[in-house]
Every structure is written in structure tokens, then in C-alpha cells.
Amino acid sequence: MKAYFFDEMPGDQRAPHDSDRPVTAAYLSELGVLSAHHPGQAGVDALAAARGYAHRDEITVSPAALGPAYASKLEVFFAEHLHEDEEIRYVLDGAGYFDVRGRGDEWVRLRLEKGDLVVLPAGIWHRFTTDESDYIKAMRLFKDEPKWTPLNRSQELEGNKYRKEYLAAREAQTWDGLER
């Protein structure tokens, strides 16, 4: 996985937008973001067991898989949002970008490729897009029944319980006792 500050230049969201300002693993950890590379599924299975991820499914995001809905789905994924659960993705094939908000509300771009895993904490503002290849296949892991409910950014969501818990954990650097 490669992490860097998003360049904020206009253009295709699927382009790298690499500012040449790298982001360290320590900074990602401060944001509560976990990342790892697992060339095989054994490491993912071990992480799932250790963190209590009981359910999983697979999603393919591509024009071939989603047909005419591809463009509208990508718009939904790229709208800034949060979830009230952790978001866990393990890339099985292809590549894509997760953008997360940093401490100063700047975008941090994470490029994930085959074998990369990312865990985003509940309450973090983020968005997703494929890269210019328009293809990613990922495993989604869940603690409870699979669901994906985005809450798009708004001022009223700053008062959301999970958003407030995220900000408090980020400030105190306490992540429910979980190793980050």
C-alpha cells in the first residue's frame, strides 16, 4: 500500500493525485487506520479471528460487473461519508484508492493493490474510487451481518455518536485497546 497526501488538483478522481508528500504508517496509525499486506488469505483469516470478523463477502467494482450502474455506484462510493462500523477491505485483484481525512481535514490517499488490507475505524470521513483501470475485486469483512450504510458528510453528523467516539479516540490515541 502507498499512502500520501492527495494533491487537490482538478481531474479524474481515478488518477493518482500524488502530491509527492508521503504519509507514514505512524500518521495513519494516529488516524486509527490499520494497513497490512497479506500475499495469501491465511493472514487475513488470522486477523479476522483476532478481531472478531465473523462474516465476509466479495465485491467487484468494474463496468463489466456493475453494468450501467457503474458510474452512479462510483459516485456513491466517492461521496465523502462515514460508517458506524469499521470498514475492512482486502484486495483480491485490481487496485483502487481510499481517501481518508487527516488531522487538518486534508485528504490522505491510500493506494491499495492485490494483497493489501485496510481497516478504517467507525466514524472516519472517507471515500473510495477505483484507479484508472476501472477494476477492483475486494473481500469485505464484517463483525456482524454484512451491511454497508454510508452516512454522507454533513454538519449534523459531527454530532453522530460514532463520529464523536472516533474524534475522542483519535485525540487520546485510544482505539478500544486494539493494536493500530
Side-chain angles (χ1 to χ4, degrees):
M1 184 192 78
K2 181 178 179 181
Y4 51 88
F5 290 101
F6 188 84
D7 69 8
E8 300 296 341
M9 300 299 292
D12 189 337
Q13 70 193 32
R14 298 166 305 142
H17 288 278
D18 191 340
S19 65
D20 288 323
R21 294 174 39 224
V23 170
T24 65
Y27 185 74
L28 291 176
S29 181
E30 289 174 15
L31 299 178
V33 175
L34 280 173
S35 64
H37 184 79
H38 296 285
Q41 199 166 315
V44 176
D45 291 343
L47 178 103
R51 294 179 64 92
Y53 303 142
H55 302 279
R56 59 182 75 185
D57 67 12
E58 293 180 5
I59 183 170
T60 300
V61 180
S62 71
L66 298 175
Y70 175 72
S72 63
K73 280 289 190 190
L74 215 53
E75 281 182 36
V76 169
F77 296 153
F78 200 65
E80 185 173 3
H81 62 277
L82 63 78
H83 300 286
E84 294 183 339
D85 299 299
E86 286 184 326
E87 182 161 347
I88 307 96
R89 299 293 180 267
Y90 174 62
V91 180
L92 299 166
D93 198 19
Y97 300 107
F98 274 94
D99 298 335
V100 299
R101 287 291 187 180
R103 284 192 168 273
D105 213 33
E106 71 284 357
W107 284 116
V108 173
R109 177 153 273 198
L110 313 173
R111 177 172 172 77
L112 279 74
E113 298 176 342
K114 184 177 180 176
D116 289 336
L117 178 133
V118 68
V119 180
L120 304 181
I124 191 171
W125 295 121
H126 66 282
R127 61 190 184 188
F128 169 80
T129 189
T130 58
D131 68 3
E132 292 167 313
S133 73
D134 284 324
Y135 173 77
I136 190 168
K137 181 178 182 180
M139 178 186 299
R140 305 183 307 171
L141 295 98
F142 305 90
K143 289 187 177 181
D144 298 312
E145 287 297 316
K147 68 177 181 176
W148 187 84
T149 306
L151 302 174
N152 287 350
R153 189 167 187 172
S154 68
Q155 189 58 41
E156 67 188 38
L157 274 178
E158 291 299 328
N160 174 281
K161 172 187 173 191
Y162 298 94
R163 177 68 180 157
K164 288 167 52 176
E165 287 175 359
Y166 167 73
L167 292 172
R170 188 183 76 185
E171 188 60 34
Q173 290 299 288
T174 56
W175 301 105
D176 298 327
L178 300 174
E179 186 177 324
R180 297 264 174 200

